[in-house]
Amino acid sequence: MWIRGVVRDPRTIQIAAQTTFLVLETVWLDFGPSLPQAATFIVTALAMECAHARIVRVSINWKSALSAALSLSLLLRTAAPLLWIAAAMLAIGSKYSIRYTGKHLFNPSAFAIVALLLSTDQVWVAPGQWGTTIWLTALATTFGGLVLTRVARLDLAATFLATYFGLLLFRAWYLGDPLTIPLHQIQSGGLLIFSMFMITDPRSTPDSRTGRMLFAAAIAVLAHAFLFRWQVREGVFYALLLVSCCTPIIDRVWPGPRFAWPGTSGG
Amino acid sequence: MRPVLRLLSCTVAASLAFSQTAGAFCGFYVASGDTPLINKASRVVLAYDGSTTRVTMASDVHGDPKQFGLVIPVPTVIKKEQVKILNPALVQHLADYTKPRLVQYFDSDPCAPVYPMTMAIPMPAPTAAAPMGGALRKSTVRIEEQYSVGEYDIVVLTATKPADLVTYLNSNGYKVPNGATETVGSYLRQGMHFFLAKVNMARMKENTTGFLRPIQVAYESPKFMLPIRLGMVNADGPQDMIVLALTKKGRVETVNYPTVKVPTGQNIPMYVESRFGQFYDAVFDKQVERSGASTFLEYAWNMGACDPCSAPPMDNVELKALGAIWIEDGGSQQSFVTRLHVRYDNAHFPEDLVLHETADQQSFQARYVMQRPFAGPATCPAGETYKRTLPARFAKEAETLAALTGWVPEIIRTEMKATGQSIP
């Protein structure tokens, strides 16, 4: 019975997918996360989650914390162990402190990444490390698609990727570049992981479909500007956070049913 | 039981003779005559402090300097004071300092251990050379700057129509391949300018180094990248580029291609010593085969130290000349060097290399080990045990060498036998 519940919960599949990528990254890629780093993210995030549950007397939402820790492991790089702890604390801390109408405003791991990028020069993200290996793309699409279909956020990922690819195609057309350039740019494994696991967080994205599509398109436009106009390599994370600030307005203009993970009341 | 092998600390030595015979800048060379162009390798030093990039382009192209010209897209208009000519020895020094290295260790006599011997294997020194200039023609081409620095006549220009720029280049002695128009157009639309350099033969006579000297261009721009697309237009196959990045904070990597470490730390047979360059070329070929469109990390280290050093350490004056101007006198640990090796062609590298600086200070070097066995007689039981373990060790080294290079195992074994490393 318990197992059936776990399998039915889309977060289980998401965590399985993130874990698969983490293993691939650790084993297969150079400059991936170290095991102590990933373990620190996970332990700190779970500890923060437990502390919160104890203080406000609610059940422990361990899947959410684990998923945030895995996202951090996949995307954030730093050699300073104190910053591993800080990253996980910022992620879970933001989830419970920056909220509106019972919903957290920012994707926890994106918030931690941006907060650290802005406050220290000791962290970086490695968007190119995944390469454009086709099988990885397929794997990400399969896993991600599965997760998103089950939580009704495929619209978000599809809108983001379609808008972003459209912008890449437009840029190539404007510059007179061959098609191989936008195709290479869209095939980034890092971008796909970002779009499948980060911007699609159902708890921090707009409630209505119209709102979500607008949200995703705005992130794509802003991310494109960050990357190509301002040459900011971590542009996708900044774009996500900036657009997330508008989620309350989007929800007010285009209201929709609030999402809740199966068996939880929030978080 | 006594340890059978005792590693001696010992050291260094690197001998690397890359098979790259010709080099070019990351733009492309064009000939003023019909001389066939060889544009297969280049060496670029990038000093980046977060906002300003100082790019030094050195070349190994041999031949008549009159035959070569340099065309490179740059993010800003480059004025005369932003251009410097460097002594080729500086780039050579940094390249030697960071190149893949072969180190050797000596087994001690297991019966009467003794201590280290140091031996340095001399390194072969490559050479440098290459570019040319332009005139004016009525079109949308606009000359933004025109001046001479050292032996070079330099023109910085832009155009509203890429075809005009290509026509300009062709009518000024730069033989630009047909396919270049689209790429030139792309750079122009990105707001980039074109930096052209040709050799002024009269002033070349004043250059006593005998080589065309590296050109250093400084610009302030958020664009931390290397334009490789033009270089591929007239290439007759994949090209190699060594990027030597000097930064304040840490390792440099590419953001639109994976950065992969080359294999390091393996024990290889002794006969490789005499053909280390050939060995490393084979290792690199194999890596390219395996990892495809990637940039390969060959060295990453704080400039304040090296272990082992494959060339004498560089002083602050040299590093500042190469563009690390943030270094303060007396402080040697204020810069980090990254050596990336990339083999690119149109099929695998559609885009320019986009770079970023990480905060990663972890040291890395492409280092291969020769473990010289103790050659003396075994005068004790431990010595006999040691001798018995050697064939297995040699077999392992042969296996490693075959895996690293793809060389034929039988030939490896034969070569090893000739240098006293017999495998039954």
Side-chain angles (χ1 to χ4, degrees):
Chain A
M1 191 63 84
W2 178 81
I3 290 175
R4 198 182 299 165
V6 167
V7 173
R8 198 175 294 157
D9 187 340
R11 283 175 303 177
T12 312
I13 301 165
Q14 179 168 337
I15 287 166
Q18 288 173 305
T19 310
T20 309
F21 290 130
L22 188 60
V23 171
L24 284 175
E25 208 176 12
T26 312
V27 174
W28 185 50
L29 299 177
D30 286 335
F31 311 111
S34 66
L35 284 178
Q37 183 180 344
T40 309
F41 284 146
I42 292 168
V43 169
T44 312
L46 289 175
M48 283 285 286
E49 192 69 44
C50 291
H52 170 264
R54 203 181 173 97
I55 293 164
V56 301
R57 295 172 189 279
V58 291
S59 56
I60 297 169
N61 189 355
W62 65 270
K63 286 180 196 165
S64 164
L66 182 58
S67 178
L70 289 168
S71 284
L72 283 176
S73 308
L74 285 169
L75 296 161
L76 184 68
R77 300 280 176 273
T78 172
L82 273 179
L83 293 179
W84 304 344
I85 297 170
M89 288 180 76
L90 280 166
I92 308 302
S94 80
K95 195 171 72 164
Y96 291 115
S97 58
I98 309 174
R99 300 173 74 88
Y100 75 98
T101 62
K103 177 169 160 177
H104 54 87
L105 188 60
F106 300 118
N107 172 275
S109 33
F111 177 83
I113 290 172
V114 170
L116 289 175
L117 281 171
L118 292 176
S119 59
T120 164
D121 63 356
Q122 292 305 303
V123 300
W124 70 98
V125 289
Q129 279 312 92
W130 283 95
T132 54
T133 317
I134 290 168
W135 71 265
L136 180 67
T137 307
L139 199 63
T141 312
T142 316
F143 264 117
L146 192 58
V147 173
L148 297 170
T149 311
R150 295 185 66 162
V151 293
R153 288 296 188 267
L154 191 61
D155 50 4
L156 240 169
T159 310
F160 171 76
L161 286 172
T163 311
Y164 192 76
F165 189 45
L167 289 166
L168 293 176
L169 285 173
F170 175 78
R171 183 174 185 270
W173 169 79
Y174 172 74
L175 297 176
D177 284 342
L179 197 59
T180 47
I181 291 184
L183 281 174
H184 179 256
Q185 288 163 337
I186 197 70
Q187 280 180 65
S188 153
L191 185 74
L192 216 57
I193 285 170
F194 170 82
S195 59
M196 293 297 179
F197 300 125
M198 197 164 266
I199 62 168
T200 48
D201 173 10
R203 295 287 305 154
S204 62
T205 46
D207 296 329
S208 69
R209 171 157 290 186
T210 311
R212 282 197 299 272
M213 290 175 74
L214 197 71
F215 176 85
I219 294 171
V221 171
L222 206 54
H224 189 271
F226 267 117
L227 288 168
F228 294 101
R229 189 166 182 83
W230 301 309
Q231 304 286 320
V232 178
R233 313 292 186 236
E234 307 86 4
V236 285
F237 302 102
Y238 291 122
L240 171 57
L241 247 70
L242 283 171
V243 177
S244 292
C245 294
C246 304
T247 309
I249 301 165
I250 296 173
D251 276 347
R252 181 163 292 184
V253 179
W254 292 280
R258 177 66 49 88
F259 179 86
W261 292 109
T264 65
S265 57
Chain B
M1 201 174 137
R2 295 175 66 181
V4 177
L5 285 180
R6 283 170 198 269
L7 280 188
L8 297 190
S9 61
C10 220
T11 317
V12 182
S15 72
L16 229 200
F18 288 111
S19 63
Q20 302 147 11
T21 51
F25 299 163
C26 44
F28 63 101
Y29 279 106
V30 286
S32 55
D34 288 326
T35 315
L37 290 173
I38 306 167
N39 186 14
K40 283 192 185 295
S42 55
R43 207 177 264 174
V44 178
V45 181
L46 283 173
Y48 179 69
D49 66 2
S51 58
T52 303
T53 305
R54 286 182 168 74
V55 51
T56 305
M57 296 159 283
S59 165
D60 285 354
V61 170
H62 299 271
D64 184 353
K66 270 191 294 190
Q67 297 293 325
F68 298 103
L70 164 72
V71 181
I72 182 171
V74 284
T76 63
V77 178
I78 306 293
K79 298 188 180 304
K80 187 172 181 177
E81 56 272 22
Q82 291 170 265
V83 181
K84 265 171 53 181
I85 304 299
L86 300 189
N87 185 333
L90 282 171
V91 178
Q92 189 58 50
H93 191 176
L94 187 59
D96 286 346
Y97 184 80
T98 54
K99 68 189 179 185
R101 61 214 60 208
L102 176 64
V103 300
Q104 59 181 343
Y105 294 88
F106 296 85
D107 287 347
S108 61
D109 177 353
C111 302
V114 283
Y115 274 88
M117 287 172 61
T118 307
M119 206 175 130
I121 298 168
M123 287 168 280
T127 43
M132 321 175 33
L136 181 62
R137 176 188 163 278
K138 270 215 162 189
S139 66
T140 62
V141 172
R142 186 159 52 86
I143 292 183
E144 298 171 298
E145 292 288 337
Q146 193 164 19
Y147 45 83
S148 298
V149 180
E151 61 267 38
Y152 299 103
D153 286 337
I154 291 162
V155 183
V156 181
L157 44 79
T158 187
T160 39
K161 289 184 183 164
D164 285 352
L165 203 144
V166 172
T167 309
Y168 171 91
L169 291 170
N170 279 323
S171 59
N172 281 273
Y174 296 86
K175 282 203 127 191
V176 179
N178 292 334
T181 311
E182 279 184 1
T183 313
V184 165
S186 178
Y187 285 123
L188 287 174
R189 290 211 157 204
Q190 288 176 59
M192 295 180 85
H193 309 261
F194 279 81
F195 180 93
L196 277 54
K198 268 189 185 177
V199 176
N200 181 311
M201 293 313 289
R203 278 196 309 281
M204 182 66 194
K205 286 174 193 150
E206 295 161 20
N207 169 11
T208 53
T209 63
F211 304 115
L212 282 176
R213 293 175 293 175
I215 304 184
Q216 185 182 87
V217 176
Y219 51 81
E220 202 165 323
S221 164
K223 280 190 177 171
F224 185 34
M225 48 85 80
L226 274 170
I228 56 171
R229 289 174 58 196
L230 273 179
M232 292 187 282
V233 176
N234 67 340
D236 59 352
Q239 299 169 81
D240 278 38
M241 177 163 61
I242 305 287
V243 182
L244 299 156
L246 291 169
T247 45
K248 277 179 171 175
K249 212 166 67 176
R251 184 176 55 80
V252 166
E253 64 185 19
T254 37
V255 293
N256 52 348
Y257 299 99
T259 301
V260 176
K261 291 175 184 170
V262 294
T264 185
Q266 280 93 340
N267 278 42
I268 52 172
M270 294 189 301
Y271 84 90
V272 174
E273 180 184 348
S274 60
R275 56 190 85 168
F276 185 59
Q278 202 185 338
F279 158 78
Y280 187 73
D281 279 349
V283 171
F284 191 75
D285 289 348
K286 195 95 178 146
Q287 286 306 300
V288 171
E289 205 178 286
R290 195 171 292 159
S291 301
S294 301
T295 53
F296 295 89
L297 184 72
E298 291 181 334
Y299 192 82
W301 215 287
N302 190 302
M303 284 303 290
C306 50
D307 178 27
C309 302
S310 66
M314 298 189 75
D315 61 36
N316 287 349
V317 176
E318 287 179 291
L319 292 171
K320 278 183 169 179
L322 284 169
I325 54 157
W326 60 84
I327 295 179
E328 287 164 18
D329 291 335
S332 60
Q333 311 214 341
Q334 301 154 347
S335 60
F336 193 90
V337 64
T338 306
R339 179 187 173 114
L340 292 171
H341 188 164
V342 50
R343 180 165 294 164
Y344 58 97
D345 59 19
N346 252 326
H348 299 93
F349 286 81
E351 281 188 275
D352 288 329
L353 302 182
V354 182
L355 304 161
H356 82 151
E357 180 189 9
T358 72
D360 186 10
Q361 284 263 348
Q362 215 175 15
S363 302
F364 176 83
Q365 58 183 340
R367 171 181 168 273
Y368 305 92
V369 182
M370 257 190 326
Q371 184 76 44
R372 293 190 182 278
F374 173 65
T379 56
C380 66
E384 280 157 21
T385 312
Y386 164 77
K387 294 275 181 193
R388 277 199 298 275
T389 62
L390 286 177
R393 188 173 108 187
F394 298 157
K396 176 86 185 131
E397 287 174 5
E399 220 173 87
T400 305
L401 183 61
L404 282 173
T405 58
W407 289 350
V408 182
E410 289 71 31
I411 299 176
I412 291 175
R413 284 168 177 251
T414 311
E415 297 274 4
M416 286 177 76
K417 198 174 177 184
T419 49
Q421 289 190 295
S422 294
I423 306 166

